[in-house]
Amino acid sequence: MTYNLDDFRRFFSADAFAALAGVQIDSVSDERVVCSMEIAPKHRNALGGVQGGAVFTLADSAFAVHSNLSLIEDGGAPPTVGQSCAVSYLRPSRGTVLYAE
């Protein structure tokens, strides 16, 4: 099932931190959610790489959208939050846009 993207964008616009980071919701379906973030100077660490917190924020945002499909679509479901999460940074980020799926 594909959902109304505008409903998700409207709901998650209240996520001030993700909005400040520049996270965008690109697509939403039962199978996957895709979020993106255009890399800007504010996302860079002292070495010039993408700050791990920026990567984590993007991944956490995609997780939040997918975890709450029924909340947004049905309105009556309770919200879902993560209890624990880990990100392994295997290599530096490349390019000008990051995607989380």
Side-chain angles (χ1 to χ4, degrees):
M1 174 177 190
T2 300
Y3 298 90
N4 183 333
L5 194 54
D6 289 335
D7 290 344
F8 285 84
R9 287 177 173 162
R10 192 171 19 264
F11 181 85
F12 283 98
S13 69
D15 187 335
F17 190 76
L20 183 64
V23 174
Q24 300 293 316
I25 302 171
D26 298 327
S27 66
V28 178
S29 71
D30 286 334
E31 293 79 29
R32 71 183 199 162
V33 166
V34 177
C35 290
S36 63
M37 181 171 57
E38 188 171 339
I39 300 305
K42 67 182 177 183
H43 298 111
R44 303 277 178 193
N45 61 26
L47 299 173
V50 177
Q51 172 60 253
V55 174
F56 193 95
T57 297
L58 177 61
D60 186 58
S61 297
F63 173 75
V65 174
H66 198 266
S67 296
N68 287 289
L69 292 176
S70 59
L71 171 68
I72 307 332
E73 193 63 21
D74 302 335
T80 301
V81 298
Q83 181 179 2
S84 179
C85 185
V87 173
S88 296
Y89 302 97
L90 303 176
R91 66 175 184 240
S93 301
R94 299 181 196 152
T96 58
V97 179
L98 294 182
Y99 295 91
E101 188 175 313

